[in-house]
Amino acid sequence: MSSEDKKLEETDKSEEESTAEDRDSLLKIIEELKEDQADSENQSKAIFNILEDIDESQEELKKRYSELNVIKRLVQELGNSLQTKVVMSTLLSALKESFPEEVSFAFVVPSPNPANFSSSIYIHANSPLGNKYLKSIKKNIAASIETAPDELIKKKELTEWIHSRFIYEFIEGRKNEEDLRQPLSVFNVSLIVRNELLGIVNLSSFKSGYFSKKDIDFANTMVNITANTISRLRELLESEQSRTQSLVKDLSNGIIMFDFDKKVTMLNKAAQKMTGLPSKGVYLSEFVKLLKVQDGEKIDQKIAETFKTGETYNFEEIEISRFIYEVIIAPVRDNEKNIVGGAVLLHDITHIKEVDRMKTEFVSVASHQLRTPLTAIMLFSEMFASEEVGKLNPDQKDYIENIQQSTKRMIKLVNDLLNVSRIETGRLKIEPEMTELVGFIQSIIDESMPVIKDHKGELVFIKTEEKIEIPIDQTLIQQVVHNLITNAIRYSTEGNCSILVKLEEEDDYYLISVKDSGIGIPKEGQERIFQKFFRADNAQKKEVEGSGLGLYVAKMIIEASGGKIRFESEKDKGTTFFVSLPKKGMNVKAGEVGIILQ
Amino acid sequence: MEENKKILIVDDEKLIVKAFQDHLTRKGYEIEAAFDGEEGLIKVKEFRPDLILLDILMPKMDGITLLKKLKESPETKEIPVIMITNLEKKESVAETAELGSLVYLVKSNHGLIDINREIEKSFKK
């Protein structure tokens, strides 16, 4: 009985005189009220039910939406890398977002290359995992691999996998030795791309019956999307590769690629021509056999190093059946950056070497064959000029002197060219020896004095120190300083030739300067003054002779030995050349020849 | 001018030899010529020169080898030797000096005046 009814009874008792009519109508109203109440209750229930339904589908929508987002991100991130481990990690992170709690993830990557075989189980876990838990995951994964169809994973690798000891690698989370629990819900999904088992993902939880059919379907969907994406990306990569390969095939350089067992995997057309080897079915040893024994040994050794270090090695001159090659040894990597073999690149430099040899030969011809007849002309004309074979009339004497002058000039030009060639081919050697610089420069000046006197000029030598000990190549410095003094004389007018040679310290250098009061270098010629064969206009007018090589040679010598050369000049006022020699001395340079002094 | 001094020229360049020979003959020296190292070695023994002008780059036997042989034999080691060559190598300058040659003249850079001066210097000693 409701409290309302009780109340009504009490009223009945206190007001016995109430009419039956009143009572009946009241009851009626109550009945109606009750009915109304039930109705409204039903209605609100119905509304509540409807509302509940809407809520549920909203949750579902939300979930679907977030799943779609996860998939979208997964596809995007997969494009960043085709490295299986990275792909698996990406996949795992995506799965993690959809299974918020109490789920541990693990994955393995069965590498197709036994050399890089990875036996790690990578783990993402929210809560610490005990040994029992980990062992159970391992067993589960191993079972998945063992039962995988033969075409997905090669037998040999499979046994290696099973026999290798798994290492647990926590990407997220940690181990807890004290936890003795086991996973109560587990399932695996395999990532298979074009008949290759790329990886296995394991999902597990402490709770029993945790994963619904929906969950498993979702995980499978994610894995399938990943597989499709990778498959598409690989196709793209392969078409890119096949383009590169066709380029390699037709390259004029020879390329030999080989695997770890030194079995040749590719030998392009050029390499076939160079070596005479067939494109397939050979081992690298057959290539090495074509080389000189010591070259072959060097190359074998560097290939072994390339496998280990991944470095590239160069050989400047390797002979194969009378042709000369530059040989490069390089590692070959797969798309996961693992070294899977090596490559030998053959660049034919026979022609370059031939040109180089011809140049050297020309230099030697110029040096000996050209200078010898010039020497003979010089000797015979000297005998005429000195009148030892009879008195000459003034014209004869003049002409003979012209012959002598031309011959000397020609010898000088040949010598200059030889020097340039020696410097340019890098064959010039620099051999510094401890020298007392003040006295050495004085001796160069002394040598020039007769010419200065002829020119009615004067030379002053100012030095800030009495003795300077420095390692220099005397021949080269003599060439440079002598050339600067000679220029100072030649490009000054007779009678107005005063030269100032200074030797002073400047920071880490000794500075030798040669100042003249000559014709100067016009502005438009200043930039080119150190260029080979360049002679300024006013210099050409002043002196017919001159090869335009002196300053070029001087600059090459000074710069090769670690020094600096510069000048200051004003037309018609004069020029100063500055040569800075490092206090520690000139650089040492090994070479074949010295310079020819004029 | 010293009379009857004997000079042996060893050089494979015939015209160079001719120039030296003519010039030095007129100067009053007695001249003999050899055109390679081996011939030079024979001529030294036959001719017994007071001075030798010696080239370096020659067929059969080069000048440095010949110089070595001359300095090894007690009979010939006292004969002064002047190197006349177009080979400009510091090493050969140093090597010939060590072996005991008097002076190293580069032919294209030195005329008859220089050669005369060196010859006279060696005879004045």
Side-chain angles (χ1 to χ4, degrees):
Chain A
M1 198 181 276
S2 71
S3 62
E4 222 171 327
D5 290 345
K6 266 188 189 164
K7 232 181 172 177
L8 280 173
E9 265 180 9
E10 277 164 20
T11 319
D12 284 351
K13 277 176 193 168
S14 59
E15 287 180 49
E16 274 172 46
E17 303 305 297
S18 299
T19 59
E21 213 179 301
D22 285 347
R23 212 175 144 178
D24 283 351
S25 61
L26 253 174
L27 277 172
K28 247 186 198 164
I29 292 167
I30 289 166
E31 274 305 303
E32 278 168 15
L33 268 173
K34 270 186 183 170
E35 270 167 34
D36 278 356
Q37 203 177 1
D39 264 3
S40 75
E41 249 168 43
N42 281 339
Q43 264 176 7
S44 79
K45 245 185 209 162
I47 290 170
F48 188 76
N49 281 343
I50 291 166
L51 280 175
E52 220 172 34
D53 278 355
I54 289 172
D55 217 31
E56 240 171 57
S57 61
Q58 229 171 13
E59 273 299 310
E60 181 69 20
L61 257 167
K62 246 195 210 161
K63 204 179 169 207
R64 294 298 302 162
Y65 182 71
S66 90
E67 280 174 6
L68 276 169
N69 259 340
V70 169
I71 289 168
K72 197 174 140 199
R73 201 140 16 98
L74 174 70
V75 173
Q76 271 171 358
E77 277 168 23
L78 284 175
N80 294 335
S81 172
L82 275 184
Q83 252 185 286
T84 313
K85 199 188 147 193
V86 178
V87 166
M88 293 298 282
S89 274
T90 312
L91 174 60
L92 220 68
S93 314
L95 283 171
K96 236 181 118 180
E97 277 186 50
S98 310
F99 294 94
E101 283 163 49
E102 295 302 323
V103 177
S104 298
F105 301 88
F107 72 87
V108 290
V109 180
S111 162
N113 181 358
N116 305 312
F117 192 82
S118 160
S119 54
S120 289
I121 298 184
Y122 301 97
I123 297 164
H124 277 246
N126 285 330
S127 36
L129 305 179
N131 274 332
K132 265 195 167 170
Y133 196 103
L134 291 170
K135 266 184 197 160
S136 165
I137 293 177
K138 178 168 110 179
K139 228 173 126 185
N140 212 272
I141 291 175
S144 260
I145 297 171
E146 272 165 5
T147 55
D150 276 356
E151 66 265 24
L152 292 186
I153 187 156
K154 285 176 205 138
K155 270 279 181 294
K156 184 183 154 211
E157 284 144 24
L158 174 68
T159 46
E160 225 166 306
W161 180 296
I162 300 302
H163 292 155
S164 72
R165 288 181 56 132
F166 280 118
I167 307 159
Y168 302 108
E169 249 185 72
F170 278 87
I171 294 172
E172 236 181 85
R174 62 185 172 83
K175 206 170 151 178
N176 177 10
E177 299 283 354
E178 274 141 48
D179 198 313
L180 297 175
R181 287 178 295 168
Q182 280 200 25
L184 294 179
S185 309
V186 184
F187 77 96
N188 284 349
V189 260
S190 301
L191 178 64
I192 297 161
V193 177
R194 288 197 268 170
N195 264 350
E196 191 191 331
L197 180 64
L198 279 191
I200 292 169
V201 189
N202 171 284
L203 287 83
S204 59
S205 173
F206 286 116
K207 289 184 182 167
S208 90
Y210 184 87
F211 301 110
S212 65
K213 194 185 169 291
K214 249 188 189 170
D215 288 339
I216 295 168
D217 283 350
F218 176 68
N220 272 319
T221 309
M222 295 287 270
V223 169
N224 284 340
I225 287 168
T226 306
N228 284 338
T229 310
I230 292 176
S231 179
R232 272 209 307 277
L233 286 173
R234 285 202 172 173
E235 262 167 38
L236 211 74
L237 202 72
E238 270 159 23
S239 81
E240 200 63 42
Q241 268 171 350
S242 82
R243 262 196 281 174
T244 315
Q245 254 168 20
S246 69
L247 199 77
V248 166
K249 261 184 199 156
D250 295 327
L251 210 62
S252 63
N253 284 330
I255 292 175
I256 306 171
M257 281 168 82
F258 48 88
D259 62 15
F260 268 125
D261 302 326
K262 292 196 188 169
K263 189 175 189 299
V264 172
T265 52
M266 202 272 297
L267 200 134
N268 74 349
K269 272 185 214 156
Q272 289 169 38
K273 220 173 132 193
M274 290 166 178
T275 61
L277 294 172
S279 64
K280 268 176 194 154
V282 281
Y283 277 84
L284 198 68
S285 57
E286 280 161 81
F287 162 72
V288 175
K289 262 187 230 157
L290 300 170
L291 314 176
K292 287 184 192 155
V293 179
Q294 68 266 38
D295 285 347
E297 281 169 4
K298 272 192 281 177
I299 283 185
D300 266 338
Q301 189 203 333
K302 288 297 175 198
I303 287 171
E305 271 177 54
T306 299
F307 281 160
K308 252 190 270 164
T309 61
E311 301 262 327
T312 301
Y313 299 97
N314 261 47
F315 294 91
E316 300 240 313
E317 230 179 300
I318 300 287
E319 199 186 309
I320 305 169
S321 45
R322 272 180 287 143
F323 284 87
I324 313 289
Y325 298 92
E326 184 191 2
V327 173
I328 296 167
I329 309 281
V332 171
R333 296 169 192 272
D334 63 8
N335 54 11
E336 300 186 10
K337 305 247 188 298
N338 298 313
I339 299 173
V340 291
V344 171
L345 190 133
L346 301 166
H347 177 48
D348 188 347
I349 53 165
T350 315
H351 183 64
I352 298 167
K353 285 282 154 192
E354 177 64 11
V355 170
D356 202 45
R357 193 192 59 76
M358 280 161 70
K359 194 173 172 178
T360 312
E361 198 177 276
F362 168 76
V363 166
S364 141
V365 165
S367 148
H368 297 110
Q369 307 303 319
L370 206 57
R371 283 207 294 174
T372 303
L374 283 170
T375 307
I377 297 172
M378 199 182 71
L379 293 175
F380 287 111
S381 51
E382 194 181 342
M383 286 191 271
F384 267 108
S386 63
E387 299 187 313
E388 62 172 87
V389 284
K391 199 127 183 69
L392 302 175
N393 68 36
D395 279 347
Q396 287 170 330
K397 203 165 178 161
D398 183 30
Y399 298 160
I400 283 295
E401 272 165 16
N402 292 347
I403 294 176
Q404 276 186 295
Q405 271 174 17
S406 300
T407 313
K408 278 190 184 142
R409 197 177 146 195
M410 198 134 142
I411 290 174
K412 188 183 176 313
L413 189 67
V414 168
N415 286 347
D416 277 346
L417 283 171
L418 277 174
N419 284 340
V420 167
S421 140
R422 285 173 184 189
I423 290 170
E424 286 182 347
T425 52
R427 294 184 307 132
L428 183 76
K429 61 183 162 199
I430 304 174
E431 292 177 311
E433 47 190 317
M434 199 47 93
T435 307
E436 199 285 290
L437 193 59
V438 180
F440 184 66
I441 289 179
Q442 185 64 57
S443 73
I444 303 170
I445 292 170
D446 291 346
E447 242 176 69
S448 312
M449 280 324 280
V451 194
I452 295 169
K453 278 185 185 135
D454 271 2
H455 223 69
K456 297 183 186 74
E458 50 172 20
L459 186 149
V460 181
F461 180 30
I462 297 175
K463 62 251 180 191
T464 51
E465 274 168 68
E466 281 310 308
K467 266 191 161 56
I468 295 168
E469 295 289 336
I470 176 175
I472 55 165
D473 186 313
Q474 296 189 357
T475 322
L476 296 180
I477 292 302
Q478 185 177 357
Q479 163 81 21
V480 173
V481 176
H482 184 261
N483 179 266
L484 294 180
I485 294 175
T486 310
N487 278 351
I489 304 166
R490 287 168 78 192
Y491 300 113
S492 296
T493 35
E494 213 173 288
N496 179 25
C497 167
S498 52
I499 299 165
L500 176 67
V501 178
K502 242 201 244 176
L503 175 58
E504 57 202 316
E505 277 185 73
E506 192 189 63
D507 304 326
D508 294 334
Y509 295 89
Y510 288 114
L511 184 68
I512 306 163
S513 56
V514 180
K515 184 179 191 320
D516 66 44
S517 52
I519 57 172
I521 305 163
K523 260 220 157 66
E524 59 274 18
Q526 292 195 355
E527 232 172 76
R528 301 177 58 200
I529 202 70
F530 289 114
Q531 275 179 19
K532 194 162 50 174
F533 299 118
F534 176 78
R535 297 187 70 211
D537 291 344
N538 57 344
Q540 287 186 43
K541 263 182 225 155
K542 171 84 177 60
E543 282 279 339
V544 185
E545 287 184 27
S547 58
L549 292 169
L551 286 173
Y552 172 74
V553 169
K555 187 180 162 76
M556 300 284 275
I557 290 174
I558 294 301
E559 288 183 351
S561 42
K564 292 182 281 190
I565 185 165
R566 64 190 166 87
F567 69 94
E568 283 166 9
S569 184
E570 201 177 323
K571 197 170 177 263
D572 301 325
K573 295 260 171 71
T575 305
T576 312
F577 274 92
F578 302 89
V579 172
S580 311
L581 293 176
K583 278 185 181 166
K584 60 174 171 48
M586 291 167 79
N587 296 340
V588 183
K589 189 176 160 287
E592 294 162 39
V593 287
I595 203 149
I596 301 160
L597 277 178
Q598 308 293 345
Chain B
M1 178 91 263
E2 301 237 6
E3 288 300 322
N4 297 326
K5 287 282 186 195
K6 295 198 282 187
I7 300 175
L8 174 67
I9 305 166
V10 190
D11 192 331
D12 60 327
E13 280 298 328
K14 298 224 161 64
L15 276 178
I16 304 269
V17 171
K18 182 170 184 274
F20 286 140
Q21 188 163 16
D22 289 2
H23 174 73
L24 294 172
T25 307
R26 275 193 289 273
K27 286 269 168 186
Y29 298 108
E30 194 183 337
I31 306 295
E32 187 61 57
F35 298 98
D36 61 64
E38 278 178 11
E39 195 189 353
L41 196 60
I42 297 164
K43 289 264 167 87
V44 170
K45 284 170 188 160
E46 286 174 5
F47 181 59
R48 309 210 148 263
D50 298 301
L51 179 85
I52 301 166
L53 298 183
L54 181 58
D55 187 18
I56 292 181
L57 293 177
M58 285 184 296
K60 291 182 189 171
M61 184 195 291
D62 67 57
I64 290 178
T65 313
L66 177 56
L67 180 64
K68 235 180 252 173
K69 285 188 188 288
L70 291 175
K71 294 297 173 188
E72 273 165 10
S73 154
E75 265 180 86
T76 53
K77 70 174 183 192
E78 300 298 335
I79 306 171
V81 178
I82 294 174
M83 306 306 295
I84 45 153
T85 178
N86 264 336
L87 183 74
E88 282 179 273
K89 265 171 87 180
K90 270 193 186 169
E91 285 86 350
S92 19
V93 178
E95 197 179 356
T96 53
E98 199 162 297
L99 286 170
S101 74
L102 283 181
V103 64
Y104 193 103
L105 297 178
V106 174
K107 281 185 276 194
S108 61
N109 298 353
H110 294 94
L112 292 169
I113 295 176
D114 304 303
I115 288 163
N116 272 321
R117 194 183 57 233
E118 293 302 330
I119 293 173
E120 279 161 26
K121 236 203 276 182
S122 85
F123 286 142
K124 270 177 198 153
K125 271 182 190 165

